[in-house]
Amino acid sequence: MTTQASLAYVEQFQSEDDHLRTARQHAETVGVVPVLPGARAALTFLAGAAGAKSIAEIGTGTGVSGLALLRGMLPDGVLTSVDLEAENQRLAREVFRDAGIPPTRFRLITGSALDVLPRLNDGGYDLVFCDGDKVEYGEYLDEALRLTRAGGFVVFDNALWHDRVADPSQRDPETVAIRELLERVRADEDLSSLLLPLGDGLLVLQKAH
């Protein structure tokens, strides 16, 4: 059995530099919750494993996950990130700049994900990372599968949703939406999936070749 101590050890396994710490401080200031360190490390790993040149992100926040993805991508890779809050994206842009990421490597779009995603190119992305409104996760999956190339990855944060998904007594809209996403993914023979107990839960899908 994995103990809380072991889970905490996993989260602390890779240290974070000043740029990530700054992004986390910004997140606390503006009241957003970034990916936890274990999930952040997994995003960098997955971006590298995908050989990613193009990634789409739902939920810029203050740049924790974006910086993780940018660091895993190929040196000329471009991140397209969508968020409702322009101020959050301003802070993320500062973090990227201070971390030495050229502005040509990221495109920050302010708006609703379900308004922006339909305008992005079919099959144009190696990885799509979803960390927006949990109630919209099913719709994000529809868009992400359209956007992702064959063999690419789709990743959802908060797949365990503060331990609520595993508790059948929890029936709030967010928890129900995440459970429905997990059931749909598990039943889809065209997807390889992995549910990781990193951070608040990371669901990783690979689109069939």
Side-chain angles (χ1 to χ4, degrees), residues 112-159:
S112 164
L114 295 180
D115 291 336
V116 174
L117 296 178
R119 305 202 298 265
L120 303 182
N121 292 333
D122 292 8
Y125 297 85
D126 303 296
L127 188 153
V128 177
F129 175 56
C130 305
D131 189 17
D133 187 338
K134 312 312 166 193
V135 174
E136 297 179 347
Y137 266 20
E139 293 168 281
Y140 294 166
L141 178 61
D142 294 333
E143 290 295 334
L145 292 176
R146 179 184 62 80
L147 295 173
T148 307
R149 64 165 173 81
F153 294 112
V154 179
V155 184
F156 287 85
D157 191 32
N158 303 115

Side-chain angles (χ1 to χ4, degrees), residues 73-134:
M73 298 172 75
L74 295 176
D76 58 345
V78 176
L79 172 70
T80 298
S81 187
V82 183
D83 199 287
L84 282 169
E85 299 295 336
E87 174 62 12
N88 294 351
Q89 291 188 322
R90 183 188 69 80
L91 294 169
R93 187 177 289 107
E94 286 184 2
V95 167
F96 297 162
R97 180 199 64 203
D98 292 345
I101 306 293
T104 52
R105 290 200 57 209
F106 55 89
R107 177 174 59 150
L108 305 183
I109 303 173
T110 306
S112 164
L114 295 180
D115 291 336
V116 174
L117 296 178
R119 305 202 298 265
L120 303 182
N121 292 333
D122 292 8
Y125 297 85
D126 303 296
L127 188 153
V128 177
F129 175 56
C130 305
D131 189 17
D133 187 338
K134 312 312 166 193

Side-chain angles (χ1 to χ4, degrees), residues 46-65:
L46 289 167
K53 290 192 67 173
S54 185
I55 291 179
E57 176 185 46
I58 302 169
T60 309
T62 55
V64 174
S65 54

